[in-house]
Amino acid sequence: MKHSSYLIIGGSAAGIACAQRIKETMPSCDVTVLTDEPHLPYFRPLITYIINRKKDVSDIAMIGRGPYTCGDLNIITDCKAKSLSIDQKTVSTNKGDFGYDKLLIATGSSPNIPEELKDIRCDGIFALRKLADAQRMSQMLINARHVVMLGGGLVNLKTAFAIIEMGIKVTMIVQSLEILSQLMEPDDTSLLKNAILNSGINVITGKKAIGVISNNNSVKAVVLDDSKEIPCDIVCIGKGVKPNVEFLDNSGIYIDKGVVVDRYTQTNIADVYSAGDIAVTFNPITGQRITTALWTNAVEMGRCAGLNMIGIKTLYAGTFGIMNATQIGGIPFVSMGCVHTKDTDYEVYTHKTDASYRKIVFNKYGTRLIGAILIADITNAGIYRYLIREGKDITKIKGLLINHCIHYGHLMQLNG
Amino acid sequence: MSNPREIFVNIKRCTGCKTCEISCAVEHSKAKNLYSAISELPTPKARLSVEWHQTAGSIPVLCRQCDDAPCMHACITGAIKRDVRGAIVTDTDKCIGCWTCVMVCPFGVIGRHLQIQKAYRCDRCPDREIPACVESCPTKALVFKTVDEYSTNKRYAFVEEMSEAIKQDV
Ligand SMILES: Cc1cc2nc3c(=O)[nH]c(=O)nc-3n(C[C@H](O)[C@H](O)[C@H](O)COP(=O)(O)OP(=O)(O)OC[C@H]3O[C@@H](n4cnc5c(N)ncnc54)[C@H](O)[C@@H]3O)c2cc1C
């Protein structure tokens, strides 16, 4: 059996950020990272650039890039954790058993597959998550004419843009009334919706796919709930993610959707920590338990876990489920904190022009900033994020926030 | 790298002339002179800005080179790193313009270059001994010193000074 002082299951955002943190502080200690993927760690959000070949595998590698400069991690690929024994402090894998002094569970999440599509076995169906998925899709796109995307979330939108840029027809089926329903309300989407329409992506809302017609292992059409059939060669499912907890069944680790951790990122078992998409974290304002699907959170939490694992007790500050920045069809936007305001008593200000949109959300007393959407002009978004996270009384600077003319100097007024 | 020099702001000395903004943009142009820089494409950008505050007056706002830089850790492409000088820099080739760094910077000092869809930020002028903004400041409101020279408390030096400037006038 191999033994490591620090064993990490999952070599992505949370796992590598944790490993880096440990190595930064204690360069000589041994850190082993297990990943079931065939590839060394890579920036997962960049796999859409693999689809349309704008980047290759070496362009998206994590090790050696950005803050990930610690060279001598022992990373074992194609190594899947099958079970965990907390008594023996070992993890069993297809490559043997691994012992640990401290363990991080950072196995992330996998795409949700709707019940009605679960049993379909056929080559052209994708739920994009891993580099290998993107490589396979890239290959299949060579001969594809029409791709149907199921779900109008961020991952599917990014993928849709990557595909339409290749000159391939894309139709997006969205069950809810509008795209991006996780990140904003229908009234907030009009600028982005226009950008999507202008790009040539065909969006069908309020419809659900109930099946796929296939022939000889290849996709022929998607069937909608109004029995309409849409002929296509590739189907891409983007319906959110669920934590990869299966291998922890009967391990004694407390699970409630994901791995539940305390405010120091430790699980209910001593010396076992968790971070990233698999971990159940909390909303710092409401205290409510949440799981997230955010690279930024996975890194922050992984770094925090790293410190705790080497004995530097560090409080994890929690996060919001929504904390996204990106660009869709040439339009930048951020969505942060509490932005779904329908039927709430929050104080909400919106401002709309032909070229920009913002929605600023305060608590019902109007004293704290709790959410913000900025579309097109995202200047100083970080100040809004800071205020949302800190939960400070913003009364003195409220007008500046509503009118979007805040700058760092104004924050001093709150702190001083 | 052990004790890098940083740009500190002496707010009371700032008159809001914005010379720093111009010299920064020129330094980050290809031509490196004002007359050609004006017509250059992509338009050279200033990486710091002088903002107005009703009680403190004009305030130069620029990258604080945070110890645990949130932008660097949040970047989803690995485009942001700390270089050998200890400065946090953005690699334009790796940047995809997703603006995650803009979302996490609590100082609001990361700019978006819309012509090229890339983020830009203060890089402490890698080709110069003294950053262009510091050298050009006519009132010495910007100074380039090591933390020890300037203050014993790096993290709060800027913040404390700023709140003091504001409090005095409240
Ligand atoms: C196309 C795309 C775009 C995205 N864009 C953004 C974005 O712009 N901003 C943002 O914040 N987030 C984005 N995300 C989400 C972000 O990638 C995830 O939140 C992040 O990767 C989570 O990191 P993690 O380390 O928790 O888990 P993961 O990245 O899921 O990594 C977990 C790793 O563990 C491995 N693993 C699982 N089970 C086992 C096992 N039993 N044994 C060994 N290894 C195992 C997995 O194969 C995987 O390699 C995007 C995701 C995708 C797919």
Side-chain angles (χ1 to χ4, degrees), chain B residues 4-145:
Chain B
R5 287 195 284 176
E6 310 225 348
I7 302 171
F8 292 98
V9 182
N10 199 333
I11 290 169
K12 281 171 236 158
R13 284 174 169 268
C14 179
T15 60
C17 71
K18 294 187 180 251
T19 306
C20 53
E21 290 186 11
I22 292 170
S23 60
C24 177
V26 170
E27 175 63 22
H28 292 93
S29 67
K30 283 180 216 112
K32 301 213 177 198
N33 79 67
L34 179 60
Y35 303 101
S36 319
I38 287 172
S39 54
E40 216 169 80
L41 281 176
T43 310
K45 296 281 186 184
R47 283 108 202 277
L48 82 173
S49 63
V50 181
E51 306 288 353
W52 176 253
H53 184 275
Q54 80 246 31
T55 51
S58 44
I59 303 177
V61 180
L62 75 161
C63 174
R64 301 317 305 155
Q65 305 281 330
C66 304
D67 274 348
D68 210 19
C71 57
M72 174 169 78
H73 296 298
C75 177
I76 61 170
T77 73
I80 306 173
K81 66 167 191 197
R82 196 179 290 280
D83 73 5
V84 286
R85 301 167 302 147
I88 302 280
V89 292
T90 299
D91 179 339
T92 305
D93 288 339
K94 294 201 183 80
C95 175
I96 57 165
C98 74
W99 320 124
T100 302
C101 53
V102 176
M103 180 181 72
V104 302
C105 174
F107 298 98
V109 292
I110 300 178
R112 289 168 296 126
H113 203 308
L114 298 178
Q115 289 159 349
I116 50 172
Q117 304 291 347
K118 306 270 184 184
Y120 61 88
R121 48 116 47 71
C122 167
D123 58 4
R124 293 289 187 268
C125 292
D127 303 336
R128 300 175 65 107
E129 176 69 14
I130 310 268
C133 57
V134 175
E135 202 170 88
S136 69
C137 177
T139 60
K140 302 274 177 291
L142 297 172
V143 289
F144 194 49
K145 289 191 166 159

Side-chain angles (χ1 to χ4, degrees), chain A residues 43 46 49 65-66 296 299 303 323-327 332 376-380 382-383 385 407-408 410 412-413, chain B residues 51-53 68 73-74 76-78 80 94 96 98-100 102-103 105-108 112 117 158 162 166:
Chain A
F43 288 99
L46 293 183
Y49 290 75
R65 297 273 158 74
T296 44
V299 169
R303 286 177 64 76
M323 199 45 86
N324 293 81
T326 197
Q327 175 146 325
D377 183 4
I378 63 165
T379 311
N380 279 325
I383 293 180
R385 178 177 181 267
H407 60 68
Y408 183 67
H410 298 124
M412 299 293 96
Q413 230 166 331
Chain B
E51 306 288 353
W52 176 253
H53 184 275
D68 210 19
H73 296 298
I76 61 170
T77 73
I80 306 173
K94 294 201 183 80
I96 57 165
C98 74
W99 320 124
T100 302
V102 176
M103 180 181 72
C105 174
F107 298 98
R112 289 168 296 126
Q117 304 291 347
F158 175 73
M162 230 187 205
I166 286 162

Side-chain angles (χ1 to χ4, degrees), chain A residues 33-301:
Chain A
V33 180
L34 312 179
T35 169
D36 62 359
E37 295 193 56
H39 298 102
L40 285 169
Y42 56 89
F43 288 99
R44 187 170 310 288
L46 293 183
I47 61 173
T48 51
Y49 290 75
I50 297 292
I51 294 177
N52 61 13
R53 301 174 193 238
K54 284 198 167 166
K55 292 187 189 291
D56 61 33
V57 173
S58 65
D59 293 331
I60 71 169
M62 271 180 98
I63 303 298
R65 297 273 158 74
Y68 307 107
T69 48
C70 61
D72 57 343
L73 293 177
N74 181 22
I75 302 174
I76 304 175
T77 53
D78 281 316
C79 182
K80 189 174 178 71
K82 294 190 164 148
S83 63
L84 161 65
S85 163
I86 52 175
D87 297 328
Q88 280 150 32
K89 294 184 110 177
T90 56
V91 174
S92 319
T93 78
N94 55 317
K95 290 193 172 173
D97 289 356
F98 290 80
Y100 62 83
D101 294 333
K102 306 271 180 185
L103 175 71
L104 179 78
I105 301 172
T107 48
S109 54
S110 300
N112 282 320
I113 309 295
E115 207 52 51
E116 55 282 4
L117 302 177
K118 250 182 195 141
D119 298 325
I120 305 172
R121 294 277 169 272
C122 151
D123 267 352
I125 303 184
F126 290 86
L128 203 67
R129 179 72 186 179
K130 298 188 178 184
L131 175 49
D133 301 328
Q135 288 173 320
R136 201 162 57 82
M137 187 186 256
S138 176
Q139 201 56 40
M140 281 201 84
L141 282 167
I142 294 173
N143 296 314
R145 280 156 308 168
H146 187 195
V147 179
V148 171
M149 320 280 309
L150 307 180
L154 216 44
V155 171
N156 251 10
L157 273 170
K158 287 184 183 185
T159 310
F161 272 93
I163 296 172
I164 200 114
E165 280 172 18
M166 301 168 76
I168 298 167
K169 189 176 164 197
V170 179
T171 300
M172 182 170 268
I173 315 287
V174 184
Q175 205 173 327
S176 49
L177 288 177
E178 213 44 90
I179 47 146
L180 291 173
S181 56
Q182 304 288 323
L183 297 184
M184 51 189 75
E185 292 179 309
D187 288 346
D188 306 327
T189 58
S190 59
L191 278 177
L192 296 172
K193 211 166 65 183
N194 288 344
I196 292 165
L197 292 180
N198 290 340
S199 73
I201 297 168
N202 177 27
V203 181
I204 301 174
T205 53
K207 293 279 186 310
K208 183 178 157 186
I210 53 166
V212 173
I213 299 172
S214 65
N215 181 9
N216 279 339
N217 209 22
S218 52
V219 172
K220 290 292 163 220
V222 166
V223 187
L224 300 186
D225 49 0
D226 59 3
S227 341
K228 197 176 159 197
E229 287 177 18
I230 304 181
C232 60
D233 344 77
I234 290 179
V235 177
C236 186
I237 302 168
K239 298 254 177 197
V241 290
K242 56 174 193 317
N244 293 323
V245 292
E246 296 77 11
F247 77 104
L248 296 170
D249 282 352
N250 310 318
S251 65
I253 300 283
Y254 178 48
I255 295 189
D256 178 7
K257 291 199 187 80
V259 174
V260 179
V261 293
D262 64 16
R263 305 237 153 166
Y264 298 91
T265 65
Q266 186 174 279
T267 66
N268 61 316
I269 304 298
D271 299 331
V272 182
Y273 297 76
S274 185
D277 281 12
I278 194 181
V280 177
T281 151
F282 62 96
N283 175 316
I285 301 291
T286 62
Q288 197 186 8
R289 279 182 179 177
I290 50 168
T291 53
T292 65
L294 294 171
W295 181 272
T296 44
N297 182 58
V299 169
E300 203 171 336
M301 205 174 177

